[in-house]
Amino acid sequence: MIFEPLAKLAPRADAIYRVTVRGITPGDVALPGPAAGRRDLLSPVVREESTKVYGD
Amino acid sequence: MARLEKFEVCAAAGPGHYGAQAPLPGPARNLHAQDHQSRQCPASNVSIIHLLPEGSKFHTASNGGRHDLTTRTVTWFVGDLAPARAARLSLEAVPTSVGEQRHRATATAARGLKTEAEAVTHVEGLSALLMDVVDTDDPVEIGADTTYEIRVINSGSKMETNLELVCTVPDKMELRGPSAWRAAASASRAGR
């Protein structure tokens, strides 16, 4: 999923994005990325977050 | 932007032209103030004043240079300067704002001798991105939703432009959609 580009982000300002997902298979799931950066740069900032999905 | 700038001030007494020499390129800037003197006559009571611009903060000075916060100056008393001799002094300053910073040095001596020189530094800011990702529910049951909140921060001193965020949803999860988007300007926009 690609968010619409943010034209400007001032110094010491932040932008908050929220993405809602539904677990469909049990296990540890890592959200690979997300990656944020300038569109014309090749080295974005990347973070990963894991979530455990459980069933009966 | 917080990098130190080093300035070298050189006052010389001796034959030669009277005036200021253009500052040299590079992180160390040289200000040359040269007094026109005869070969037999020293310059006496030589003082040098370095005026710091608004966007520059004093750090250190060599040779006992005295900093005056009110006048934004650093002053050295050199005393007598023999013909063809030079006094080399230096100071370090920290740029505190972006833009053009003009450092000006003035050398004065007895009998009304005076000369000035300046060095111009162009100070630029840098943008730097940080990112935090948290999930609102963890663990999550099959069939239930969880929301990832992704916070992108510009921790630098320069405006970041044309910022794009890309998320890849793993196979074990199903995208329910971007639930919200907020920037400093409180804009509202959805992903695609």
Side-chain angles (χ1 to χ4, degrees):
Chain A
M1 185 176 66
I2 303 171
F3 282 82
E4 291 289 333
L6 180 59
K8 291 180 179 178
L9 185 61
R12 292 171 293 282
D14 62 12
I16 295 177
Y17 301 78
R18 291 189 181 90
V19 180
T20 302
V21 295
R22 175 166 294 174
I24 55 174
T25 306
D28 287 322
V29 182
L31 187 72
R38 277 171 54 183
R39 300 184 78 192
D40 54 344
L41 292 182
L42 298 176
S43 53
V45 180
V46 180
R47 287 287 181 276
E48 189 173 282
E49 178 67 21
S50 293
T51 303
K52 186 177 183 66
V53 180
Y54 65 93
D56 290 336
Chain B
M1 188 172 71
R3 187 177 153 192
L4 277 176
E5 292 180 287
K6 186 169 184 177
F7 293 86
E8 188 173 271
V9 182
C10 172
H17 70 279
Y18 180 87
Q21 181 175 320
L24 301 176
R29 306 284 181 166
N30 297 320
L31 300 178
H32 290 258
Q34 191 168 54
D35 293 339
H36 178 66
Q37 295 283 304
S38 71
R39 288 180 185 277
Q40 286 74 34
C41 184
S44 57
N45 290 327
V46 175
S47 292
I48 296 171
I49 298 175
H50 183 113
L51 178 61
L52 291 158
E54 285 290 332
S56 189
K57 183 181 171 187
F58 173 76
H59 184 62
T60 60
S62 71
N63 301 74
R66 285 179 291 112
H67 176 231
D68 187 326
L69 193 63
T70 309
T71 58
R72 305 190 61 80
T73 56
V74 179
T75 306
W76 292 272
F77 180 71
V78 177
D80 293 345
L81 202 54
R85 296 297 298 272
R88 290 187 179 276
L89 312 160
S90 66
L91 71 86
E92 291 182 335
V94 181
T96 56
S97 63
V98 298
E100 200 172 73
Q101 310 286 352
R102 289 183 177 273
H103 289 257
R104 176 171 291 273
T106 304
T108 57
R111 291 179 288 118
L113 289 175
K114 182 181 178 181
T115 188
E116 294 180 339
E118 72 172 21
V120 180
T121 304
H122 188 76
V123 181
E124 292 185 350
L126 289 175
S127 60
L129 288 181
L130 296 175
M131 185 161 52
D132 288 330
V133 184
V134 293
D135 45 5
T136 54
D137 293 296
D138 185 10
V140 63
E141 191 176 4
I142 287 179
D145 293 347
T146 186
T147 297
Y148 291 99
E149 185 172 283
I150 303 152
R151 183 169 176 241
V152 182
I153 308 140
N154 181 1
S155 61
S157 56
K158 183 182 179 182
M159 181 80 75
E160 183 61 276
T161 58
N162 209 15
L163 189 69
E164 188 168 73
L165 179 73
V166 179
C167 292
T168 304
V169 179
D171 293 339
K172 295 177 179 177
M173 288 184 159
E174 178 183 82
L175 179 66
R176 304 295 291 169
S179 56
W181 186 100
R182 181 179 69 80
S186 299
S188 177
R189 204 176 292 190
R192 61 179 189 268

